[in-house]
Amino acid sequence: MRFSKRDILTGPFVAAVGLSSAARARHRVAVNTSDEIQDGHLDIPSGRFAPTVESLKTYRTPDWFRDAKFGIWAHWGPQAVPRRGDWYARFMYVPGHPHYDHHVKTFGHPAEFGYKDVIPLWKAEKFDPEVLMGKYAAAGAKYFVTMGVHHDNFDLWNSKYHRWNAAAMGPRQDIVGAWKAAANRLGLRFGVSEHLGASYCWWHPSHLYDQFWPKLGVSYDGADPRYADLYHDNRDEPFLNKPGTWYTRHAKFHQLWFQRIRDLVDTYQPDLLYSDGGLPFGEVGRALVAHLYNGSIARGGKLEAVYTCKDSGSGEFHNEAVVQDVERGVLSGINPLPWQTDTSNADWFYNDSHDYKTTTEVVTMLADIVSKNGNLLLNVVQYPDGSLPPQSERLLAELAAWMEVNSEAIHGTRPWKVHGEGPTETAAGMFQEKADYTARDIRFTTKGDSLYAIALGEPKNLAEIASLAIGNPHENRRVRQVRLLGRGSVGFRQNRHALAIDMPEGLPTRHASVFEISFI
C-alpha cells in the first residue's frame, strides 16, 4: 500500500486570566491531558499566561509578525541525504513505496541499514549560514525559521536530552545555533519548527518487518531496543489514516516532548515556534506555549513571541490563542486574525525529480496571502550538503529583484476593504495552492494613505480595476494619482466601469506589476 502526506493530512485528520505572581516564582502545572496521564507535573515559571485556553486567548499577535509578511524556512536535515524528498525516514520502512525501493537498491535492506545509518551520511559540508542568510534577506525575508526536529526524531541543535543530534553526529555542528547567529547579524527575526509531536506514531513502520521473502519476518532496525531512543518503543500505536493516530496518548512521550522542546525554546529564545500539526498534548502543549509567551515578556518587557500550528493533526487548535498555519494552501478572503501559509519551492526535502515553483508562482501567492492578512513562510530547498540547487538560487535572485522595486506593497501593509478582484481564486484549505492567475486578477494592500493594487497577471496596454470604479462601495474618494512602482506616474481614467490605467511599454519587473494609488 502507498501512503502520502497529503492522504494523511487531508483525510479524517482534518477530522482568562494569567498568573499574577512574580516572573521568577515557580508553580506546579498539573498535567491531565489524556487517559494515560494521571498525576504528572511540569515545572514552568509563572507569568502572565497560564496553560489554560482562557488565558492563552488573551494573546495578541505582535506587530513585527504582522509587518513581516514574508519568511524563509530551512526545512533541511538528514532526510535530504537520499535525495528523494519528504518523509523518507518513514517510507523507507514501507514496502511498495518508492522510498523503500530506493533504499533497498541504494543502501541495503532496512533490517541491516536503517535510518540510524543514514544520519551519519549527512555532513552538511557546504553549509554557510552567513552567505545563505544574506540571500534570504535580499529576497525580502523579514524572518527566518530553521527546522529544529522533524518526525525523524533527530535534533538539529546541541540537545541536552537526546543523543541523536547534529552537534554529536553527522555535521557535528549546532545547526540551529549557526542559523540563529546568522539571522541575528542581519536583523531577521528567528524561528524554529518542531515536528516531534507526531514522531512517536510516525515511526511505527520501523518496528515492523517484510511480509515476503527473502526477509520474511526479519525485523527492521527500529525494533532493536538499542535504538529505542531514536525509533521509540510504542509498538501499540500505528500511524494510520484515521483520527487519533497523529499524536501519541502515552504520558511519558508527552513529557519527553515537553522536555526537548522546552530545551529548544530556552536555549535559542525564538521569536516564532511552529508545530507541525495541532497544538500537541492538551495541557502539556499549552504549558509549553505559555512558557514561550512568558519567556518573551520576561526578556523584553512585552510579548514578541509567535506560536503557530495547524488546525489539524488531531491536536488542539484555538484560533485566538495561536497563529493559524495552512500547509501549501490559503484561507478564503480577509481573515480577521493574522495567519500563515507554509510551503516550499519544491519538495520539503531535496528531491532529484520534484518540480520547482516559478518566481511568478511565489510572488503571486505572496500577494494573494498578504491581501488576506496572512504571511508566507517559504522553504527554499537545499542540497544535502547545505548549498542551494540552481532553481533555489534563481528564485532568490529574482525575488530580490522584485522586492527591490515592490517591497513597499508587501512589508508593513494591511488588508484593504476587499482582498482583491478577478476571475481566479485559490481554493481555501491545505494542499490547494495552485492557481493560474490572469491580468484581470488584482490583489490589494494598504499602508498609510496609499492603496496598492498588485496585478497578478501581465496587463497589456490597459489595466482595469473594477473595485475603484466611480460609485464603488469601497472608496468614495476620487483617484488623484497612480504610480507604477519602479516607473513613476502613469496615465489613468476613472469611470463607472473601472479605474483604467495606461500600461507603458516594458514593465519594471518580470513578475506582478504594482500600482500605488492615492486619493483626493
Side-chain angles (χ1 to χ4, degrees):
M1 181 179 293
R2 297 183 183 224
F3 306 90
S4 72
K5 187 175 183 181
R6 179 188 177 97
D7 293 335
I8 293 166
L9 292 181
T10 59
F13 282 117
V14 179
V17 180
L19 301 179
S20 59
S21 53
R24 290 190 178 89
R26 302 188 69 83
H27 68 277
R28 302 282 283 176
V29 177
V31 179
N32 186 20
T33 181
S34 74
D35 294 338
E36 297 289 335
I37 295 181
Q38 300 297 329
D39 57 0
H41 292 81
L42 300 170
D43 283 326
I44 60 170
S46 300
R48 171 181 155 191
F49 290 95
T52 66
V53 174
E54 292 75 16
S55 177
L56 292 175
K57 280 186 176 180
T58 66
Y59 173 81
R60 295 295 178 267
T61 309
D63 286 341
W64 77 258
F65 183 80
R66 299 195 67 199
D67 291 339
K69 303 304 181 187
F70 181 49
I72 284 180
W73 190 6
H75 191 286
W76 175 62
Q79 288 180 89
V81 168
R83 304 167 69 100
R84 286 297 181 272
D86 200 20
W87 285 27
Y88 186 89
R90 172 180 169 80
F91 287 134
M92 61 170 276
Y93 294 102
V94 179
H97 193 279
H99 289 356
Y100 174 93
D101 297 338
H102 172 81
H103 192 84
V104 171
K105 179 180 178 180
T106 307
F107 300 108
H109 192 270
E112 299 157 356
F113 193 103
Y115 187 66
K116 71 180 187 307
D117 305 298
V118 172
I119 288 171
L121 303 180
W122 185 49
K123 301 295 187 182
E125 57 269 31
K126 295 183 180 179
F127 174 48
D128 190 335
E130 300 290 341
V131 170
L132 292 171
M133 202 66 65
K135 293 179 180 182
Y136 300 157
K142 296 299 184 183
Y143 61 109
F144 171 83
V145 178
T146 173
M147 188 169 66
V149 51
H150 199 249
H151 307 315
D152 65 350
N153 195 27
F154 184 77
D155 291 348
L156 270 63
W157 75 96
N158 190 13
S159 178
K160 293 187 178 104
Y161 304 109
H162 193 51
R163 65 170 171 146
W164 300 92
N165 71 78
M169 60 186 71
R172 297 190 180 276
Q173 181 180 0
D174 181 350
I175 299 295
V176 173
W179 278 125
K180 180 176 182 177
N184 286 351
R185 274 190 278 275
L186 287 179
L188 275 68
R189 293 282 184 163
F190 178 72
V192 292
S193 68
E194 72 84 14
H195 313 241
L196 178 61
S199 174
Y200 304 102
C201 298
W202 188 87
W203 260 129
H204 184 264
S206 71
H207 305 155
L208 304 178
Y209 49 83
D210 286 356
Q211 298 185 39
F212 49 88
W213 296 103
K215 297 285 188 180
L216 175 65
V218 178
S219 295
Y220 304 144
D221 68 325
D224 190 328
R226 293 177 297 172
Y227 309 116
D229 55 343
L230 176 64
Y231 300 107
H232 313 303
D233 60 3
N234 53 322
R235 309 280 193 263
D236 60 334
E237 291 189 298
F239 182 83
L240 302 172
N241 192 12
K242 65 179 183 179
T245 67
W246 185 260
Y247 289 135
T248 177
R249 292 179 305 213
H250 285 290
K252 73 170 184 177
F253 292 126
H254 298 183
Q255 294 175 329
L256 287 171
W257 173 87
F258 182 90
Q259 183 184 56
R260 295 252 299 279
I261 304 307
R262 177 177 175 173
D263 175 39
L264 179 63
V265 166
D266 288 350
T267 303
Y268 303 96
Q269 301 177 352
D271 298 301
L272 180 147
L273 174 65
Y274 160 94
S275 287
D276 189 13
L279 174 60
F281 311 141
E283 192 167 0
V284 176
R286 293 197 298 272
L288 193 284
V289 174
H291 181 62
L292 173 74
Y293 292 167
N294 289 336
S296 174
I297 295 169
R299 287 190 301 274
K302 64 177 182 177
L303 179 57
E304 292 283 85
V306 173
Y307 176 75
T308 178
C309 67
K310 296 183 176 69
D311 186 9
S312 67
S314 299
E316 290 192 1
F317 180 79
H318 305 287
N319 203 24
E320 299 91 342
V322 305
V323 171
Q324 181 178 359
D325 180 271
V326 183
E327 181 174 355
R328 292 190 184 271
V330 302
L331 297 181
S332 177
I334 299 173
N335 199 57
L337 296 172
W339 58 282
Q340 176 179 269
T341 287
D342 75 274
T343 191
S344 178
N345 71 320
D347 205 339
W348 285 114
F349 291 102
Y350 179 75
N351 186 333
D352 279 326
S353 60
H354 203 282
D355 293 335
Y356 284 78
K357 287 183 173 66
T358 66
T359 305
T360 295
E361 288 174 321
V362 172
V363 168
T364 54
M365 188 175 190
L366 173 65
D368 182 59
I369 289 165
V370 171
S371 75
K372 298 172 179 176
N373 205 28
N375 285 21
L376 173 60
L377 178 62
L378 176 71
N379 174 51
V380 176
V381 172
Q382 293 171 255
Y383 282 135
D385 65 14
S387 62
L388 297 175
Q391 297 92 334
S392 292
E393 292 275 17
R394 185 181 311 116
L395 171 65
L396 292 171
E398 292 180 351
L399 283 176
W402 189 85
M403 285 289 187
E404 186 176 5
V405 173
N406 298 301
S407 63
E408 67 180 85
I410 299 296
H411 300 135
T413 63
R414 297 293 183 267
W416 192 46
K417 297 168 186 177
V418 293
H419 76 277
E421 66 176 48
T424 311
E425 280 291 344
T426 304
M430 295 194 297
F431 307 105
Q432 302 285 335
E433 62 185 345
K434 185 69 174 176
D436 294 319
Y437 292 110
T438 72
R440 294 169 54 201
D441 292 304
I442 307 291
R443 295 296 180 265
F444 300 111
T445 63
T446 63
K447 184 191 299 179
D449 293 330
S450 293
L451 171 66
Y452 296 97
I454 306 172
L456 304 187
E458 186 174 329
K460 301 292 186 183
N461 301 320
L462 195 68
E464 293 187 306
I465 303 176
S467 298
L468 291 175
I470 293 175
N472 75 81
H474 315 300
E475 178 58 68
N476 57 20
R477 294 175 296 172
R478 295 290 296 271
V479 173
R480 178 176 63 85
Q481 183 184 51
V482 177
R483 184 170 68 96
L484 175 61
L485 298 191
R487 180 60 59 89
S489 295
V490 292
F492 68 93
R493 294 165 300 286
Q494 192 175 17
N495 55 45
R496 295 191 177 279
H497 171 67
L499 172 66
I501 303 171
D502 297 323
M503 296 299 297
E505 291 187 13
L507 298 176
T509 57
R510 295 175 56 194
H511 321 279
S513 297
V514 180
F515 304 100
E516 181 190 14
I517 301 166
S518 57
F519 300 92
I520 297 173

